Amino acid sequence: MNALTEPAEPEPDTAGRETDAAGHRSGAVARPPLVRELLLVAGLFLVYKSGRQLANGHTGEAFHNAHRVWDLERTVHLPGEGAVQHALLHSEGLVHLANTYYATVHFPATAAFLIWLYLRRPGHYIWTRRILAALTAAALVLHLTFPLAPPRMLDAAHLVDTAQVYGPSVYAATPETDSMANQFAAMPSLHFGWALMVAVGLIAATRSRWRWLWLLHPLLTLLVVVGTANHYWLDTIVATALLGIALTAIRLPAAAPAPESGQTPLRHVLPAQRVATSRAATAGTMGAAGTSGAALSVPWAPAHPRGSLSASEVIARFPVSVTRGSASAVAAPPVPADMTGTARTARTALAAAGGHR
């Protein structure tokens, strides 16, 4: 198709932005106001922390649910959490590193990920923020309706509270009096859910062949949260399911390609406007060619040298509209002074007939 009416489809570049055939950036998404985003994220965090505090005081129900989860895992033959912890306990330095990872990586890694998206991929930032908000809201509902003691508190699990024994720990020694966190909110594991979303977001926002290595972050987080006895396997499975639902419901918005300066995006205008714009562009091209002396090809120009066509051929080539038996000329051009007699007589007669219809 003519480039004036059908511009080439944009293609993604290696930085994750869309570019057109000429290499110009297009489809840019406006970056949200920074102050509004800071207030929004801070508000969501405060709502989440307040909601977790509402679940405190359900100690009996939390331990009852812990026994149910433990028995369910054994029924479906999930691997024991103790196998991962035993591997960590072979080295005091390794278990200390796992506790440090659990305590220090969760929030900073997620915050750095969101900041990078905000600065470099605004469209992906908005999508990721919505996904994380939906995942966290669903987790809060489960924390309130299904309080769950972690495996480190469950005697039947025979696991060690590695944070209290080896440090560092982010939780108080007595869960019932912990005013900073709700320790009975094990399901789902937001540590794992957020880490998995960080990996998914970076894979979606980048084009490097090494981007799949970001999956090591949720994999390492999975081993850490289970090995430190802060979560059951089932906590991570539920987090993965909730994230999958959020990703299905909230799709990454497609950015519309932005036209170049001074060019009308014909694919996004009404048909009448598209035709008018196309005609204007064609007329401008014809005028420029005429000025330079180049030969033009117009719908009513004869394909043969002047004087070589009969009157019937001239009439057949001339655009005519017939309505109820009367003929009328459509956009008849002026009769050239040097046209031969037969063709000149035919064109003059046709123009007269259209003028008296």
Side-chain angles (χ1 to χ4, degrees):
M1 294 295 292
N2 193 315
L4 293 172
T5 57
E6 295 292 338
E9 291 290 341
E11 298 178 356
D13 66 1
T14 55
R17 298 181 295 269
E18 284 190 338
T19 58
D20 58 17
H24 300 291
R25 290 180 58 180
S26 63
V29 178
R31 185 178 293 113
L34 178 60
V35 175
R36 188 193 72 179
E37 290 301 311
L38 291 176
L39 293 176
L40 179 60
V41 173
L44 291 174
F45 179 76
L46 290 177
V47 170
Y48 172 71
K49 295 294 289 185
S50 301
R52 282 173 62 104
Q53 294 301 321
L54 294 177
N56 284 336
H58 299 81
T59 305
E61 185 179 0
F63 278 98
H64 176 68
N65 290 333
H67 284 285
R68 294 168 59 189
V69 168
W70 183 261
D71 293 340
L72 177 61
E73 287 189 345
R74 308 289 77 79
T75 300
V76 298
H77 303 290
L78 287 178
E81 288 80 359
V84 181
Q85 186 173 90
H86 291 161
L88 290 179
L89 293 177
H90 283 299
S91 170
E92 183 174 344
L94 188 59
V95 69
H96 182 80
L97 182 62
N99 291 332
T100 303
Y101 190 94
Y102 181 87
T104 61
V105 174
H106 177 51
F107 281 109
T110 307
F113 165 62
L114 290 174
I115 292 173
W116 183 83
L117 286 181
Y118 179 84
L119 296 176
R120 301 295 299 275
R121 304 288 191 275
H124 287 81
Y125 165 79
I126 297 173
W127 170 67
T128 302
R129 187 242 292 152
R130 292 171 179 171
I131 294 290
L132 288 176
L135 174 62
T136 306
L140 180 58
V141 172
L142 273 178
H143 294 165
L144 294 174
T145 58
F146 192 80
L148 179 65
R152 57 187 166 81
M153 298 181 186
L154 190 62
D155 294 336
H158 303 291
L159 296 174
V160 178
D161 188 346
T162 59
Q164 294 296 332
V165 176
Y166 298 94
S169 177
V170 295
Y171 300 121
T174 306
E176 294 82 358
T177 60
D178 193 347
S179 59
M180 298 299 296
N182 176 22
Q183 298 191 43
F184 299 129
M187 181 179 292
S189 171
L190 281 181
H191 267 74
F192 178 74
W194 285 15
L196 184 57
M197 184 56 208
V198 169
V200 171
L202 287 172
I203 291 173
T206 58
R207 293 294 180 268
S208 170
R209 68 177 63 183
W210 304 103
R211 66 187 185 278
W212 297 100
L213 292 178
W214 286 111
L215 291 174
L216 293 176
H217 175 48
L219 177 60
L220 183 59
T221 302
L222 172 65
L223 297 177
V224 165
V225 299
V226 173
T228 57
N230 282 293
H231 288 284
Y232 304 90
W233 292 112
L234 198 58
D235 297 339
T236 62
I237 293 174
V238 172
T240 303
L242 292 177
L243 179 59
I245 295 173
L247 289 171
T248 303
I250 305 174
R251 299 297 184 89
L252 179 64
E260 295 183 14
S261 178
Q263 182 179 2
T264 304
L266 297 181
R267 292 191 177 191
H268 304 285
V269 299
L270 296 178
Q273 295 173 323
R274 182 185 303 181
V275 172
T277 307
S278 177
R279 287 180 175 174
T282 305
T285 304
M286 292 170 58
T291 303
S292 61
L296 297 178
S297 175
V298 294
W300 46 266
H304 301 276
R306 291 175 180 173
S308 63
L309 295 179
S310 65
S312 59
E313 290 175 329
V314 172
I315 295 176
R317 288 176 175 269
F318 201 85
V320 176
S321 65
V322 180
T323 305
R324 296 181 181 178
S326 63
S328 61
V330 180
V335 180
D338 59 346
M339 181 173 285
T340 59
T342 304
R344 181 183 183 87
T345 302
R347 182 169 296 187
T348 304
L350 186 57
H356 293 84
R357 71 176 187 273

